Amino acid sequence: MTVAPDFAVPFFPPGLFDADRAALLGIVREVGLDPEQRFILGRRTAAFEAMLRADLEAADVVACSSGTSALSLVLRALDIGPSDEVIVPAFGCAPLAASVIGTGATPVFADIRPDTLTMDPDHAGRLVTPRTRAVMPAHMFSVMADMPRFTELARRHGIRLVEDSAVAQGGVLRGVPAGLWGEAGVYSFVQVKTFGMPGEGGVVVTRDAEVGAKVRLLRNHGQPPGQRFLHQVIGINSRFDEIQAAFQTHRYAEFPARLERRAQIAAYYTERFAPLADRGIVPPPPDRDGRCFYVYTVLASDRDALAAHLAESGIATHVYYPHPLPAHRAFAAYAPPGARWPRAEEAARRHLALPVHHLLTDTQVEHVADRVCAFAEAHA
């Protein structure tokens, strides 16, 4: 089937940085010719961190080489290690478990809520043992986890609260920005995130200045800022690029408008899809509080058929996590024999992400919604 160009809907926008091309080229030249010749962790990175810190009213923001390394650095800064357990969602990205294992600790998998696809606080609470040092909920797709309940869970058991907010930059729940509910959170700037950039990078955000200082030390081989070749601890190379820092600073003023466009698209989808629940297609909950609109995901009874139907109409979709984390060979050793995570397994079978990026036209958005509704009608 040949699809008219006006109706082809890419999942990721191919021209994401076209509007900023001249600025990016100028920044490359500026940094490359700067007499200082500082390409990592220079004044531009410091300015970028300061901008985010002020905007979030955080104690510290520490730029790192990726969201994954940022998560690992948070765990290390909290002194989590061998003999410790960290409760993580059974549904989500590999770094949720891998970052824990990398410290020598053990990931303990909790099932998810069926409506938000985020970790279930009740199941997480039942998994706490004397070895539990932290709980690490993750915001999923367009919905923040139930951070008020995780805050209470952490307080009740005396454990640390780490927030995997990699996909949730710009999200706010009950007036608190994503990343600032627990000891620390992280954002990822990989291209497809809401504040993505043409490269890899991330930040740690925290209300605890001491945690920020530890992360800052660990990210650069254990060297204190401004003191090269003086290694106080064993750290890693998780440094931020000066070109990317300047580019992200340049683009930040437009970030709220991009988020709002995503929110408008998501609201339109949800309004169109809400009546389809009894026909096998369930949208995410409609509440605007605690939403981040990184990815818009529906649950479909026949996910593969829906994806094929949309592909015939030129609409690209994506399945992020076709298997729960404990089902992967890499993490099987951490799955208790006979254990099941039925809601995570169902989400893995049913979830399908639709295009929601800010460069979609109204015509494209309506086309996506029309085709999803047509599928539901045909399969009622």
Side-chain angles (χ1 to χ4, degrees):
M1 176 179 178
T2 301
V3 179
D6 289 347
F7 288 99
V9 186
F11 189 80
F12 300 119
L16 181 58
F17 305 110
D18 277 357
D20 298 297
R21 179 179 299 182
L24 178 57
L25 292 175
I27 289 169
V28 171
R29 180 177 178 83
E30 172 195 313
V31 174
L33 297 179
D34 192 326
E36 190 179 28
Q37 290 293 283
R38 184 73 176 268
F39 303 117
I40 55 172
L41 296 187
R43 55 187 170 84
R44 297 170 181 85
T45 299
F48 178 53
E49 292 173 332
M51 180 188 69
L52 292 178
R53 186 166 56 246
D55 193 32
L56 293 166
E57 298 183 354
D60 207 355
V61 172
V62 186
C64 307
S65 61
S66 69
T68 297
S69 67
L71 201 60
S72 297
L73 287 168
V74 168
L75 294 173
R76 287 194 58 187
L78 297 178
D79 297 320
I80 290 171
S83 81
D84 295 332
E85 294 178 346
V86 179
I87 300 172
V88 303
F91 181 71
C93 62
L96 281 165
S99 62
V100 174
I101 296 168
T103 69
T106 299
V108 176
F109 296 106
D111 210 350
I112 60 174
R113 289 177 45 174
D115 54 346
T116 65
L117 309 187
T118 60
M119 185 159 64
D120 179 3
D122 291 329
H123 191 214
R126 294 195 294 271
L127 297 173
V128 175
T129 74
R131 292 178 56 193
T132 304
R133 283 289 308 283
V135 59
M136 190 161 70
H139 309 315
M140 185 59 56
F141 301 137
S142 65
V143 185
M144 290 176 63
D146 191 343
M147 298 310 298
R149 292 200 51 204
F150 281 113
T151 299
E152 172 56 26
L153 186 153
R155 185 203 61 78
R156 186 168 68 250
H157 292 283
I159 59 179
R160 315 305 288 268
L161 176 57
V162 178
E163 189 178 349
D164 183 354
S165 48
V167 306
Q169 185 176 4
V172 178
L173 176 61
R174 298 190 186 180
V176 178
L180 293 179
W181 278 89
E183 268 81 4
V186 303
Y187 299 148
S188 169
F189 303 140
V190 73
Q191 180 180 356
V192 297
K193 298 297 195 298
T194 53
F195 192 42
M197 66 188 194
E200 190 84 67
V203 293
V204 171
V205 299
T206 180
R207 293 190 187 277
D208 189 327
E210 183 178 348
V211 170
K214 288 182 179 179
V215 170
R216 200 171 289 279
L217 183 67
L218 289 165
R219 73 168 173 184
N220 191 17
H221 297 298
Q223 301 171 101
Q227 300 183 48
R228 294 188 65 193
F229 308 121
L230 293 174
H231 304 274
Q232 294 186 353
V233 297
I234 303 298
I236 63 172
N237 178 357
S238 182
R239 301 176 297 210
F240 203 77
D241 180 273
E242 283 285 276
I243 292 173
Q244 301 287 9
F247 187 57
Q248 291 297 83
T249 301
H250 160 77
R251 299 175 67 236
Y252 195 63
E254 296 179 358
F255 180 50
R258 291 194 293 270
L259 276 184
E260 179 57 29
R261 174 58 178 166
R262 286 172 174 262
Q264 292 169 357
I265 294 170
Y268 177 78
Y269 283 161
T270 299
E271 181 181 2
R272 294 286 306 274
F273 302 156
L276 307 182
D278 60 352
R279 303 179 198 176
I281 296 177
V282 181
D287 192 355
R288 279 286 297 264
D289 192 31
R291 297 301 184 266
C292 46
F293 307 113
Y294 158 56
V295 167
Y296 187 92
T297 301
V298 298
L299 296 175
S301 298
D302 196 343
R303 187 259 312 284
D304 294 342
L306 175 58
H309 169 82
L310 295 175
E312 290 177 356
S313 298
I315 300 167
T317 59
H318 198 65
V319 174
Y320 275 83
Y321 310 119
H323 306 285
L325 286 175
H328 290 271
R329 180 179 177 183
F331 307 122
Y334 301 93
R340 296 290 301 275
W341 298 266
R343 292 172 175 174
E345 293 164 6
E346 181 179 7
R349 287 192 302 269
R350 296 184 60 195
H351 79 280
L352 185 68
L354 307 177
V356 74
H357 58 81
H358 67 283
L359 294 180
L360 293 174
T361 66
D362 288 348
T363 299
Q364 289 175 316
V365 173
E366 291 169 4
H367 178 53
V368 173
D370 288 346
R371 299 318 300 159
V372 170
C373 292
F375 177 87
E377 186 68 28
H379 293 76

